[in-house]
């Protein structure tokens, strides 16, 4: 078994840590042999790009994910429909290729979320399209102390209006078309649910914006305050959605934990701090990116050409084990 000290991880400013696998003949066997050191490297650095693994199809990716993780988890409360893939994998979140997807932590609005993300690149885009990363403790330290203190006291609110036109319809997001099951899920997960006359669903949930890593105890900026806020949308898209659905019926937006709106200036500040601490590396065919979902935020850059990236959500973590600063609930 390879020891952590023998992993030759390349550390360069502005890039995630990179490990060159050396084109092993059997990626699955290589992953099984190196599981311990790989997991240790992700815990140490927050992310790790494994290059030269030669991942070429979903079956191989699923097998590698099975060797590197304890358990894959299903996505619930999705904001955009992913396509399930063989072996418990998912497609990347559908998002227009010409629009970047800003930094976020996967399912950070849920009470249980993946602790480890695996991104496997089968086909690299012609230009752009990197899955970039940002260190959550570093981002936290770079934010204004008074803003962090407010989010620490109040948490943040996620407000959603499910419909059949934008994002995942509620039956797809909750994995059931039974209203009673959705209501039970919401009650169990601190979500206020309100059915609309047209059959749509509006939800409201409060979560902590700052948590502690369940293993290291480090404080992390862990949320989707900026990513799911209306001011992150392109101006013309936001204006269209407000015109069609009204300010109270936007498919998603976020607010301070006391219900106060989060202004465009705050969202711009958050995204600017993320950008200052972003690390990126262009995809190559066969790459594997491992991301500690609590320690590290991730994004997707705009791109041209084909891009096929498969995703595994793994090793669930409970919010209760991350020292939340506010009770999980609707208000």
């Amino acid at each position: 078994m390879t020891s952590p000290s023998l992993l030759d991880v390349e550390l360069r400013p502005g890039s995630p840590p990179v490990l060159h696998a050396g084109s092993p003949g059997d990626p699955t066997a290589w992953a099984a042999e190196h599981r311990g050191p790989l997991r240790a490297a992700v815990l140490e650095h927050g992310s790790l790009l494994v290059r030269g693994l030669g991942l070429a199809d979903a079956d191989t990716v699923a097998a590698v994910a099975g060797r590197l993780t304890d358990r894959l988890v299903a996505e619930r409360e999705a904001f955009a429909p992913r396509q399930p893939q063989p072996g418990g994998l998912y497609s990347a979140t559908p998002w227009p290729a010409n629009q970047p997807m800003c930094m976020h932590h996967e399912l950070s609005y849920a009470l249980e979320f993946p602790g480890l993300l695996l991104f496997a690149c089968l086909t690299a885009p012609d230009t752009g399209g990197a899955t970039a990363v940002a260190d959550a403790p570093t981002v936290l330290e770079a934010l204004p102390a008074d803003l962090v203190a407010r989010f620490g006291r109040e948490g943040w609110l996620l407000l959603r209006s499910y419909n059949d036109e934008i994002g995942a319809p509620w039956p797809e997001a909750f994995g059931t078309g039974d209203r009673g099951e959705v209501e039970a899920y919401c009650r169990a997960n601190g979500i206020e649910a309100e059915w609309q006359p047209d059959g749509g669903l509006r939800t409201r949930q409060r979560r902590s914006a700052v948590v502690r890593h369940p293993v290291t105890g480090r404080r992390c900026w862990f949320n989707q305050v900026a990513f799911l806020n209306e001011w992150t949308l392109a101006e013309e898209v936001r204006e269209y959605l407000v015109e069609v659905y009204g300010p109270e019926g936007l498919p998603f937006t976020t607010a301070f934990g006391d219900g106060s709106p989060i202004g465009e200036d705050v969202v711009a500040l958050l995204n600017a701090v993320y950008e200052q601490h972003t690390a990126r590396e262009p995809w190559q065919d066969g790459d594997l990116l491992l991301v500690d979902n609590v320690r590290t935020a991730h994004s997707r850059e705009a791109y041209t050409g084909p891009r096929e990236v498969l995703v595994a959500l793994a090793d669930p973590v409970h919010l209760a084990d991350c020292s939340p600063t506010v009770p999980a609930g609707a208000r």
Side-chain angles (χ1 to χ4, degrees):
M1 180 66 68
T2 305
S3 68
S5 62
L6 296 182
L7 282 185
D8 187 15
V9 177
E10 179 183 355
L11 301 176
R12 291 184 287 113
S15 171
V18 178
L19 174 67
H20 296 274
S23 302
D26 185 344
T28 305
W30 186 93
E33 178 184 355
H34 293 82
R35 173 189 164 110
L38 289 170
R39 298 286 299 240
V42 174
L43 184 64
E44 178 182 359
H45 301 294
S47 64
L48 181 68
L49 177 65
V50 182
R51 175 147 287 168
L53 201 51
L55 302 175
D57 55 70
D59 289 339
T60 304
V61 174
V64 168
R67 299 304 188 277
L68 294 180
T69 67
D70 295 327
R71 177 163 68 93
L72 298 185
V73 297
E75 185 177 43
R76 300 292 294 270
E77 302 181 54
F79 82 93
R82 297 179 187 264
Q83 294 301 315
Q85 300 291 318
L89 305 177
Y90 289 96
S91 67
T93 300
W95 198 262
N98 64 347
Q99 295 181 24
M101 181 183 297
C102 76
M103 286 290 175
H104 62 286
H105 296 262
E106 203 68 34
L107 297 176
S108 56
Y109 47 80
L111 294 189
E112 182 181 272
F113 41 81
L116 180 67
L117 308 176
L118 293 82
F119 299 91
C121 180
L122 302 186
T123 304
D126 295 338
T127 64
T131 300
V133 294
D135 185 69
T138 302
V139 169
L140 178 68
E141 289 299 319
L143 290 172
D146 58 342
L147 184 65
V148 171
R150 179 173 183 181
F151 275 111
R153 292 192 308 270
E154 300 178 6
W156 64 291
L157 286 175
L158 173 61
L159 311 169
R160 300 184 66 173
S161 291
Y162 294 87
N163 59 59
D164 293 331
E165 298 177 348
I166 304 294
W170 65 261
E172 190 167 350
F174 290 96
T176 176
D178 185 310
R179 287 192 176 195
E181 290 184 14
V182 172
E183 292 167 2
Y185 176 91
C186 289
R187 284 194 300 271
N189 287 272
I191 302 172
E192 180 182 283
E194 180 183 356
W195 297 104
Q196 302 302 299
D198 62 359
L201 174 67
R202 288 186 182 177
T203 61
R204 173 187 176 104
Q205 59 212 85
R206 185 171 74 155
R207 299 292 185 257
S208 296
V210 179
V211 303
R212 290 191 179 275
H213 192 281
V215 177
T216 67
R218 295 186 67 185
R219 295 175 75 234
C220 298
W221 180 251
F222 177 77
N223 55 71
Q224 295 192 26
V225 167
F227 178 47
L228 292 180
N229 187 276
E230 60 189 277
W231 292 111
T232 292
L233 295 168
E235 182 178 359
E236 63 275 11
V237 174
R238 178 184 177 276
E239 290 178 351
Y240 168 78
L241 293 176
V242 170
E243 180 180 352
V244 172
Y245 298 106
E248 301 300 320
L250 290 172
F252 51 80
T253 194
T254 61
F256 287 106
D258 67 355
S260 301
I262 294 175
E264 184 177 8
D265 57 335
V266 173
V267 174
L269 170 65
L270 295 176
N271 285 329
V273 171
Y274 271 132
E275 179 57 34
Q276 292 166 8
H277 298 284
T278 290
R280 52 175 61 85
E281 175 69 21
W283 280 117
Q284 293 183 13
D285 293 353
D287 281 351
L288 176 68
L289 177 64
L290 306 173
V291 175
D292 181 322
N293 188 41
V294 179
R295 162 80 183 271
T296 305
H298 68 279
S299 65
R300 194 224 68 192
E301 300 184 339
Y303 66 93
T304 62
R307 180 184 187 271
E308 185 178 8
V309 174
L310 300 182
V311 182
L313 313 176
D315 299 353
V317 172
H318 294 278
L319 177 61
D321 295 328
C322 299
S323 303
T325 63
V326 300
R331 59 187 75 247

